[in-house]
Amino acid sequence: MKRQQEFYRDTWAEIDLDALYYNMKEIRNFLPSETRIFATVKANGYGHGDIQTAKTVLKAGAHGLTVAFLDEALALREEGVNAPILILGATRPQDVPIAADHQISLTVYDGEWLKEAEKHLSPGKKVALHIKCDTGMGRIGVRDEEELKQIEDYINNSNCFSFEGIFTHFATADELDTEYYERQLSRFKKLLQVLKTTPTYVHAANSAAALYHSDATFNATRIGIAMYGLTPSAEIEPYLPFKRREVFSLHSKIIHVKKMHPGEKVGYGADYTTENEEWIATIPIGYADGWIRKLRGFHVLAGGERVPIVGKICMDQSMIKLPYYMPIGTQVTLIGEQNGQFISVDEVANKLDTINYEVTCTITNRVPRVFKSKSMRDF
Ligand SMILES: Cc1ncc(COP(=O)(O)O)c(C=O)c1O
């Protein structure tokens, strides 16, 4: 495992590898034993750190990994990850030989792409392909039976390609209303019927489909949000089979503290005015870290209490109002647990009118990720 990098600032994201391991074990135990789990570690493991996340979930029972782009797959290979990797998004035809060299499987959804990619593969080079079917997501994918037949034939008649998998992706698996989900599922089943050969992997389910619906696991799944301990949606959360543990937390420390008099101003625009004598502290995190300006008026944990963010969030710093004096170096928790108090990723997402996925992905690479494992497993 890559050594944790040194860092020189008092803001960090803590990644609880024990929680990640636990979540994946629970998912593994819940799904049928023959269902292979591809853990989705794109976007730097949804902001959790792709390499450490990948190594941990593979130890906990994941069979392979999915990412969005070739660069992400290569980064995993460079760190010695040998498990199957599937790129879910588009790969440029000229880059296909690189995927072949590193045993990275690719997604195909267009016959012309196959012809182009073939031109770039020298004799003896072979790449494994998963056909993506668009059954209602409207993003990428083969949409009709004829096209699917042609792509399957092309793959099977070529020396450059092997037909490794077929998949689709649900748009509404995280909703209680199952009508559209069922339409997509039956469309996928119809598409599967036209295949002349059966690939190794047939997969449709994301976290929501795998944990909330029992009819879409086929022989493989692609699990993302649930292994990070987060919910696919508040709607289906009460019906999920087990509780997960949040993996991501975000922390900083007070770097400056002062007593301000009534009527003094804080922050850009000077638009926060102290009403009384107030203890105002500064923490070194701002919108360039993904702690964005819309979080103004939200709160953080200091001294085990919820304390408000005051004034506009700056690029690198934010100001908070303390209930009493706290010294420089006091830990501030922006996401996670402190002395029994908890700010969840979902609470931040709600404040931002977004989804939990976006919160952890948005915390930028400037914030170092610190990997913690109390059980000291060699992840
Ligand atoms: C094609 C595809 N499969 C699987 C996933 C994982 O979904 P989830 O994180 O909801 O489990 C994603 C996530 O964006 C995806 O785009």
Side-chain angles (χ1 to χ4, degrees), residues 78-247:
E78 271 162 32
E79 289 299 325
V81 175
N82 296 319
I85 301 178
L86 167 64
I87 294 175
L88 298 168
T91 303
R92 300 181 304 195
Q94 65 268 34
D95 298 332
V96 171
I98 303 169
D101 287 343
H102 292 86
Q103 282 85 51
I104 294 164
S105 306
L106 299 180
T107 290
V108 56
Y109 48 88
D110 172 7
E112 287 307 307
W113 181 91
L114 283 171
K115 290 180 198 156
E116 273 304 304
E118 204 171 32
K119 287 185 200 157
H120 294 277
L121 285 162
S122 46
K125 280 208 176 164
K126 201 161 183 157
V127 70
L129 299 178
H130 291 225
I131 303 176
K132 174 75 186 288
C133 301
D134 177 12
T135 56
M137 178 76 182
R139 196 163 60 176
I140 53 171
V142 175
R143 294 166 65 84
D144 67 67
E145 278 81 352
E146 240 355 270
E147 208 184 344
L148 177 58
K149 275 186 204 160
Q150 281 170 17
I151 289 181
E152 184 196 12
D153 285 344
Y154 199 99
I155 294 173
N156 285 337
N157 293 327
S158 163
N159 294 325
C160 304
F161 303 124
S162 66
F163 183 26
E164 188 179 65
I166 184 160
F167 72 110
T168 193
H169 190 53
F170 294 111
T172 63
D174 60 348
E175 293 177 13
L176 288 179
D177 182 346
T178 59
E179 195 263 322
Y180 195 75
Y181 162 83
E182 276 155 22
R183 240 197 285 165
Q184 278 198 263
L185 183 59
S186 86
R187 181 85 195 102
F188 186 50
K189 284 180 177 164
K190 279 216 179 85
L191 286 169
L192 292 179
Q193 277 168 14
V194 309
L195 293 180
K196 292 185 198 138
T197 46
T198 311
T200 311
Y201 305 109
V202 180
H203 46 116
N206 56 359
S207 296
L211 301 182
Y212 178 57
H213 303 272
S214 55
D215 49 358
T217 40
F218 296 95
N219 69 13
T221 59
R222 306 180 306 274
I223 301 289
I225 202 75
M227 72 185 193
Y228 300 110
L230 302 172
T231 190
S233 77
E235 238 179 284
I236 62 163
E237 179 60 28
Y239 306 97
L240 297 188
F242 51 88
K243 286 268 166 260
R244 292 138 325 260
R245 286 164 50 190
E246 284 199 18
V247 175

Side-chain angles (χ1 to χ4, degrees), residues 185-347:
L185 183 59
S186 86
R187 181 85 195 102
F188 186 50
K189 284 180 177 164
K190 279 216 179 85
L191 286 169
L192 292 179
Q193 277 168 14
V194 309
L195 293 180
K196 292 185 198 138
T197 46
T198 311
T200 311
Y201 305 109
V202 180
H203 46 116
N206 56 359
S207 296
L211 301 182
Y212 178 57
H213 303 272
S214 55
D215 49 358
T217 40
F218 296 95
N219 69 13
T221 59
R222 306 180 306 274
I223 301 289
I225 202 75
M227 72 185 193
Y228 300 110
L230 302 172
T231 190
S233 77
E235 238 179 284
I236 62 163
E237 179 60 28
Y239 306 97
L240 297 188
F242 51 88
K243 286 268 166 260
R244 292 138 325 260
R245 286 164 50 190
E246 284 199 18
V247 175
F248 187 96
S249 61
L250 182 64
H251 310 273
S252 191
K253 284 184 182 173
I254 291 175
I255 48 127
H256 184 60
V257 61
K258 61 209 168 280
K259 189 190 242 178
M260 294 182 73
H261 302 298
E264 290 193 287
K265 306 285 186 186
V266 176
Y268 283 117
D271 60 1
Y272 175 78
T273 310
T274 52
E275 282 178 11
N276 304 299
E277 292 218 315
E278 291 179 15
W279 285 106
I280 301 294
T282 304
I283 53 174
I285 182 168
Y287 62 76
D289 299 303
W291 193 252
I292 62 175
R293 280 165 57 114
K294 222 177 157 190
L295 285 163
R296 180 192 182 149
F298 193 59
H299 44 259
V300 299
L301 298 173
E305 288 185 38
R306 284 170 182 243
V307 306
I309 297 168
V310 293
K312 289 193 173 81
I313 290 171
C314 310
M315 188 185 288
D316 320 298
Q317 301 175 80
S318 304
M319 280 66 81
I320 57 177
K321 181 174 128 180
L322 303 178
Y324 51 86
Y325 169 79
M326 293 182 200
I328 287 173
T330 301
Q331 184 163 327
V332 173
T333 296
L334 299 97
I335 298 175
E337 194 267 340
Q338 194 186 89
N339 297 356
Q341 291 285 324
F342 191 66
I343 297 174
S344 67
V345 175
D346 276 307
E347 198 179 331

